[in-house]
Amino acid sequence: MTENTQQQTAPTTELPTQYAPAEVEGPLYERWVERGYFEADAKSEKPPYTIVIPPPNVTGSLHLGHAFEHTLIDALTRRKRMQGFETLWQPGMDHAGIATQNVVERELAKEGKSRHDLGREAFVERVWQWKAESGGQISGQMKRLGDGVAWSRERFTMDEGLSQAVQTIFKKLYDDELIYRAERIINWCPRCLTAISDIEVEYQDDDGELVSIRYGEGDESLVVATTRAETMLGDTAVAVHPDDERYKHLVGKQIKLPLTDRTIPVVADTHVDPEFGTGAVKVTPAHDPNDFEIGQRHNLPNLAVMDERAVITVHGPFQGLDRLEARSAIVAALRAEGRIVAEKRPYVHSVGHCSRCKTTIEPRLSMQWWVKVGPLAQAAGDAVRDGKVKIHPQEMEKRYFDWVDNLHDWCISRQLWWGHRIPVWYGPNGEVVCVGPDEQPPTGEGWHQDTDVLDTWFSSGLWPFSTLGWPERTESLEKFYPNSVLVTGYDILFFWVARMMMFGLYAMDGTPPFHTIALHGMVRDQNGKKMSKSFGNVVNPLDWMDEYGSDAVRFTLANGANPGVDVPIGEDWVKASRNFANKIWNATRFALMNGATVEGPLPDASQMSATDRWILSRLNKTVAEVDAFYDDYQFAKLADALYHFAWDEVFDWYVELSKTTFFAGGEQAKVSGRVLGEVLDVMLRLLHPIVPFVTETLWTTLTGGESLVIADWPVDSGFRDEAAEKEIELVQQVVTEVRRFRSDQGLQPGQKVPARLDVAGTALAPHEAAIRQLLRLQPEGEGFSATASLPVAGATVALDLSGTIDVAAERKRLAKDLAAAEKEKAQANGKLGNEAFLAKAPDNVVDKIRTRLAKADEDIARIEAQLANLPQV
């Protein structure tokens, strides 16, 4: 099934009695890195397999979302490496413009300084200093998790090569008239003092107020409702729907704007919903994106009434007030004039907040740089429609199309100092020059560079090819582009993924950045609730790794990873995964001590027992099953399949069924020892991509091989033995049924019982010794009395319980249970037979009673069977 081409040393059976992850993981990972197992060679003739890491922020630390995503990517790349691919998992970090600048500004504030005290050049130097000293701690945490990334290729979105890529594509887009500068409404953070992208806005329900204000006088008046009364100072119109009969007489007329000496027009616009509120809306083009669009259609002036800190800049009485202070003052002034028609407090509505500092976002008219996304988004949509790129799971395609087919132009400028500075210079006479990476910027009096930097997503959108050396046509770019698959969360499908698609197709001559987009869900707590500091349910994965080992965390995350679906996780599940790792350790250690070996060829099937042939047949089916799940990104299913194969079939059945063979010794024990060695060898290879540390330790001990990281991936040999599988299924039926009977009779698992097995002439005959061993069944002996007889799987198991249980007491107990079950059945039947009850009772109540009836029937059948199997007294 596998062909191990590594140099092998003589295997040893020596393993510590217990698995200690803390002692194993760190040194083992360092050995992998030192030996260069994770590096990728662009000159290799092996087929390429490439995945980029979604670059974590340089300010970040490993959270459960990272651990989840990295586990999936690491599993994919480890498997492909074992399959013989030249595998590149590209690492790196994002410079995280706003987040990083905020961190350093907070440090300066402790010194009583601001960035303006340092000046731009010194401040940027301070950020680089912070990165060198404190940034990038997540790299060490990724190593703790076992990430098999090519560390020698690590990139940073502000390094020299990526900076050249950013300048190159900016210049190319600018020359192709796909980048332009214009005054538009943007998301503005009054605390961070910059435009921010849509993804950096977090919406939450806030308690606000809804105020209805009367504009105009008498018959020529109307009422508008607003949650932001302070913006009325910037109103330049009131809009109504063209077909709204209530206001047709006002369209085109001027009405008085309260608290000001201005009049504003009433305009007709189809954007207005006549059914919502009064059907009239105030129009503030400089402070609302929808109002801006109305203003453009009707040539309305844009009147900004707040500065960058959201302080009112116009109209004497309110000038200098913060927006929230102004809101209260303006409402009070309107109330004094009798202009307030209605007030609703609290009024819960969705409000955008800066994801970095939690400040309420202010829509603001601002001169910014934009990408004209129309043709780029069209190409990104067509690449999926044409099948060049597949989205997995496929049902996510609709969400992707809904986004890229309706993209607005992208604001790419940020009013920060940390980031890629926009490569545009302005001259003294209004000249505008965009400078490429190999061009000299203009010099002389009056020339200056644009002060803004680019949105972080601009540089991270180049990640699949900039990390490989673009714009140079490097060997790495030729070998590893496009990426094989992108593994990322569905939450950034619209932002990072769409940008990579647009830029990759544009920069790489129509070649998309990846063949497949595999989307996963978000990690949630064990109750399915979003993890949040405010909820108190955030988990540090490093704590779990310290307590239970990295393999346990990885297996838990993989075991919950259904494509595109959120992943609940709780500590109890990590404990269970730790127990699984311990089970693998203990069972493998036992097997090594009892003859498991990989030495020599696998015996011919004719030399094997049915148990041997059964486990090899199941092994090959598991290989095929796991391969299919990997190819379909079904991590939860493959983890579940491996768990049940290892624990249930190998450890609980094959090892137990083979104990009598191992204890007896001889040639058959050698055959089974070789089969068990083969099973462990293949099983550990299959498990390795998900739980790399414990499997590496066990496999190298078992085989003497150099490392599982570079071992061959198992291949389904095609061996199947359906007859052996059916034979062992019969054994399992007998053991399971008798165990259930023993439990029902109150026997302890280790309690020995005299028994007669009538298995002669059946497929169970060769397994009698194993069945007796598993069920703690003694030979009949003198004076044997069959007090209970169980027909199962074509055989009969007769048990003598006379010396093991008090039959009279057991009959009394069962009779009491039977009476209770019959009473429950009678009550349920009574209610279900009552037509009046059925007519009034809710469906869920009726369903519960039907469930109770079914359970009572099951209990009665079970108890009666137990009584029938007990001897008479």
Side-chain angles (χ1 to χ4, degrees):
M1 262 163 277
T2 59
E3 186 175 331
N4 188 2
T5 56
Q6 301 178 52
Q7 172 128 22
Q8 294 188 346
T9 58
T12 173
T13 59
E14 294 181 7
L15 280 171
T17 55
Q18 291 184 320
Y19 177 50
E23 297 174 12
V24 170
E25 293 174 354
L28 190 52
Y29 187 86
E30 288 303 315
R31 186 155 67 248
W32 288 336
V33 173
E34 287 169 6
R35 293 179 178 178
Y37 292 156
F38 304 138
E39 297 302 325
D41 183 4
K43 298 181 185 297
S44 168
E45 294 184 1
K46 296 178 182 177
Y49 186 80
T50 316
I51 297 181
V52 295
I53 190 173
N57 288 351
V58 68
T59 59
S61 59
L62 190 77
H63 57 63
L64 266 178
H66 290 129
F68 172 54
E69 186 168 79
H70 291 199
T71 295
L72 305 188
I73 299 175
D74 197 40
L76 290 172
T77 52
R78 283 179 183 268
R79 172 178 175 253
K80 284 296 182 180
R81 189 179 292 111
M82 294 172 75
Q83 286 183 316
F85 286 78
E86 192 62 35
T87 303
L88 170 60
W89 183 9
Q90 174 66 54
M93 284 182 291
D94 193 287
H95 65 278
I98 295 177
T100 307
Q101 180 156 319
N102 280 349
V103 167
V104 178
E105 285 196 89
R106 282 196 294 270
E107 286 191 353
L108 286 174
K110 294 175 185 176
E111 303 169 13
K113 298 178 182 177
S114 75
R115 60 180 163 127
H116 299 285
D117 294 324
L118 272 66
R120 184 171 193 139
E121 188 174 335
F123 176 77
V124 171
E125 183 59 36
R126 179 72 176 257
V127 180
W128 279 109
Q129 180 184 337
W130 174 87
K131 177 188 179 293
E133 295 172 357
S134 307
Q137 63 172 321
I138 195 171
S139 296
Q141 296 165 348
M142 288 163 57
K143 294 175 182 178
R144 283 283 314 277
L145 186 65
D147 285 5
V149 300
W151 287 112
S152 70
R153 292 172 171 266
E154 188 174 11
R155 303 303 300 269
F156 180 56
T157 51
M158 285 281 287
D159 69 30
E160 184 178 349
L162 268 67
S163 295
Q164 183 182 36
V166 167
Q167 196 171 352
T168 298
I169 202 161
F170 187 99
K171 170 71 170 174
K172 180 175 170 59
L173 289 163
Y174 182 88
D175 289 346
D176 287 346
E177 298 183 349
L178 292 173
I179 281 183
Y180 64 94
R181 193 168 184 243
E183 195 175 42
R184 298 268 186 86
I185 292 283
I186 44 88
N187 300 309
W188 181 266
C189 177
R191 157 63 183 79
C192 298
L193 299 180
T194 181
I196 64 175
S197 66
D198 291 338
I199 198 172
E200 292 163 325
V201 179
E202 293 180 350
Y203 287 90
Q204 65 184 49
D205 287 341
D206 287 357
D207 286 344
E209 60 181 2
L210 182 66
V211 182
S212 298
I213 309 167
R214 180 170 53 83
Y215 284 23
E217 306 292 344
D219 291 339
E220 295 190 352
S221 68
L222 36 66
V223 175
V224 299
T226 181
T227 58
R228 305 177 67 225
E230 69 277 12
T231 64
M232 68 162 291
L233 300 176
D235 286 359
T236 56
V238 173
V240 298
H241 194 276
D243 300 330
D244 195 330
E245 294 294 335
R246 294 171 294 177
Y247 303 118
K248 279 198 172 181
H249 67 291
L250 290 177
V251 174
K253 291 187 177 181
Q254 296 281 325
I255 61 172
K256 180 76 165 52
L257 178 65
L259 304 182
T260 73
D261 57 1
R262 293 192 292 118
T263 61
I264 57 177
V266 178
V267 299
D269 196 281
T270 54
H271 171 76
V272 179
D273 180 1
E275 303 299 322
F276 183 77
T278 64
V281 296
K282 59 191 288 297
V283 182
T284 320
H287 293 279
D288 182 275
N290 293 322
D291 292 3
F292 178 79
E293 297 296 332
I294 294 174
Q296 293 290 294
R297 289 193 288 272
H298 296 278
N299 296 317
L300 299 175
N302 301 317
L303 180 59
V305 297
M306 287 180 234
D307 66 13
E308 69 275 9
R309 298 183 185 276
V311 172
I312 301 297
T313 58
V314 298
H315 203 70
F318 312 110
Q319 192 169 2
L321 295 179
D322 171 81
R323 56 183 166 171
L324 298 181
E325 297 171 332
R327 182 177 301 169
S328 298
I330 287 171
V331 170
L334 289 167
R335 192 183 298 114
E337 288 192 4
R339 294 281 177 179
I340 302 296
V341 176
E343 297 178 69
K344 184 176 182 180
R345 295 187 185 87
Y347 178 73
V348 179
H349 61 133
S350 182
V351 177
H353 295 259
C354 174
S355 63
R356 303 299 177 191
C357 68
K358 310 310 176 187
T359 302
T360 299
I361 289 302
E362 187 64 44
R364 185 167 188 254
L365 186 65
S366 179
M367 182 66 76
Q368 302 284 346
W369 285 94
W370 304 81
V371 171
K372 187 184 296 183
V373 300
L376 303 175
Q378 176 71 41
D382 290 345
V384 175
R385 289 188 183 91
D386 298 343
K388 290 182 181 177
V389 178
K390 297 187 183 302
I391 293 180
H392 185 85
Q394 191 174 4
E395 52 266 28
M396 287 285 181
E397 282 187 4
K398 183 180 183 303
R399 296 179 67 178
Y400 176 78
F401 292 136
D402 286 345
W403 179 256
V404 298
D405 292 346
N406 297 285
L407 267 180
H408 298 294
D409 285 359
W410 170 22
C411 175
I412 56 171
S413 45
R414 300 289 180 266
Q415 290 63 56
L416 304 170
W417 286 357
W418 173 244
H420 295 102
R421 195 165 173 183
I422 289 176
V424 172
W425 272 253
Y426 304 104
N429 299 311
E431 301 95 334
V432 179
V433 176
C434 180
V435 177
D438 300 322
E439 300 171 351
Q440 291 297 318
T443 57
E445 187 176 347
W447 283 94
H448 63 280
Q449 187 177 358
D450 196 298
T451 56
D452 290 350
V453 300
L454 287 164
D455 178 12
T456 298
W457 294 100
F458 190 94
S459 50
S460 59
L462 314 181
W463 194 246
F465 52 93
S466 63
T467 52
L468 297 173
W470 187 90
E472 299 297 324
R473 283 285 173 178
T474 63
E475 285 184 324
S476 290
L477 188 66
E478 295 293 337
K479 177 74 173 179
F480 296 112
Y481 187 91
N483 292 188
S484 305
V485 61
L486 174 76
V487 179
T488 192
Y490 64 68
D491 59 324
I492 55 175
L493 173 65
F494 313 131
F495 303 103
W496 187 46
V497 179
R499 282 151 173 69
M500 285 190 292
M501 285 285 283
M502 290 191 296
F503 280 166
L505 289 160
Y506 174 74
M508 298 300 293
D509 303 319
T511 302
F514 18 73
H515 297 301
T516 301
I517 301 168
L519 298 170
H520 59 72
M522 305 297 102
V523 178
R524 297 184 178 272
D525 72 11
Q526 60 190 21
N527 299 312
K529 192 173 183 179
K530 179 181 178 182
M531 288 191 174
S532 166
K533 290 180 181 178
S534 61
F535 296 152
N537 61 352
V538 173
V539 173
N540 183 348
L542 296 169
D543 293 340
W544 280 352
M545 284 188 247
D546 290 340
E547 182 73 19
Y548 306 111
S550 297
D551 283 335
V553 174
R554 289 170 63 114
F555 190 83
T556 305
L557 291 165
N559 204 30
N562 291 299
V565 178
D566 288 346
V567 183
I569 185 172
E571 188 168 6
D572 286 346
W573 304 341
V574 184
K575 289 180 183 177
S577 295
R578 185 270 316 271
N579 295 342
F580 179 48
N582 288 341
K583 181 74 170 181
I584 299 170
W585 181 273
N586 294 332
T588 303
R589 184 172 178 272
F590 171 85
L592 286 168
M593 294 170 63
N594 287 275
T597 179
V598 296
E599 294 180 3
L602 198 63
D604 187 77
S606 62
Q607 298 176 267
M608 299 179 191
S609 67
T611 308
D612 295 333
R613 297 194 306 276
W614 163 74
I615 196 62
L616 288 176
S617 184
R618 290 295 308 128
L619 176 66
N620 276 283
K621 285 183 178 180
T622 301
V623 171
E625 191 176 27
V626 168
D627 274 333
F629 287 143
Y630 261 117
D631 292 341
D632 199 35
Y633 305 100
Q634 298 280 0
F635 296 97
K637 290 182 179 179
L638 72 89
D640 187 66
L642 287 169
Y643 175 90
H644 288 293
F645 175 73
W647 194 307
D648 299 347
E649 297 186 293
V650 178
F651 303 143
D652 281 359
W653 284 109
Y654 181 72
V655 170
E656 294 299 323
L657 286 169
S658 301
K659 278 183 179 179
T660 52
T661 302
F662 291 138
F663 295 161
E667 286 303 314
Q668 192 57 52
K670 291 180 181 179
V671 170
S672 292
R674 180 63 187 89
V675 169
L676 179 54
E678 178 75 8
V679 171
L680 292 176
D681 178 10
V682 174
M683 183 194 76
L684 292 170
R685 293 172 194 251
L686 291 173
L687 282 164
H688 176 72
I690 299 177
V691 285
F693 295 107
V694 66
T695 53
E696 173 86 339
T697 307
L698 294 172
W699 186 84
T700 52
T701 302
L702 170 70
T703 68
E706 182 182 340
S707 173
L708 260 179
V709 180
I710 54 171
D712 295 329
W713 181 254
V715 177
D716 176 10
S717 70
F719 178 84
R720 301 287 189 275
D721 194 323
E722 300 299 334
E725 290 197 40
K726 289 178 181 177
E727 186 171 319
I728 301 305
E729 282 175 14
L730 294 176
V731 175
Q732 291 172 327
Q733 286 178 32
V734 171
V735 172
T736 301
E737 189 60 35
V738 176
R739 277 177 174 167
R740 183 182 297 117
F741 175 76
R742 286 175 57 108
S743 176
D744 288 342
Q745 306 309 318
L747 296 174
Q748 294 300 312
Q751 191 171 354
K752 294 181 179 180
V753 178
R756 180 176 66 245
L757 272 63
D758 295 327
V759 295
T762 73
L764 296 169
H767 306 284
E768 180 174 354
I771 292 171
R772 285 185 176 276
Q773 170 75 21
L774 287 169
L775 291 172
R776 305 293 190 268
L777 301 180
Q778 294 178 316
E780 299 168 46
E782 189 175 345
F784 176 82
S785 174
T787 58
S789 183
L790 299 175
V792 57
T796 301
V797 180
L799 303 171
D800 183 353
L801 303 177
S802 57
T804 57
I805 63 172
D806 184 335
V807 177
E810 184 64 12
R811 278 191 167 278
K812 185 176 180 181
R813 183 185 70 81
L814 289 172
K816 183 179 178 181
D817 290 346
L818 180 61
E822 288 173 336
K823 181 179 179 181
E824 174 74 2
K825 178 178 180 178
Q827 289 177 341
N829 273 328
K831 288 186 177 181
L832 293 174
N834 186 334
E835 294 297 333
F837 171 78
L838 293 176
K840 294 179 181 178
D843 289 345
N844 65 319
V845 172
V846 175
D847 288 342
K848 285 182 181 179
I849 294 171
R850 289 194 176 113
T851 301
R852 284 169 50 195
L853 176 61
K855 176 69 165 54
D857 281 334
E858 289 177 8
D859 290 344
I860 291 169
R862 175 178 55 80
I863 296 167
E864 287 178 341
Q866 289 175 246
L867 285 167
N869 281 312
L870 283 174
Q872 298 297 322
V873 292

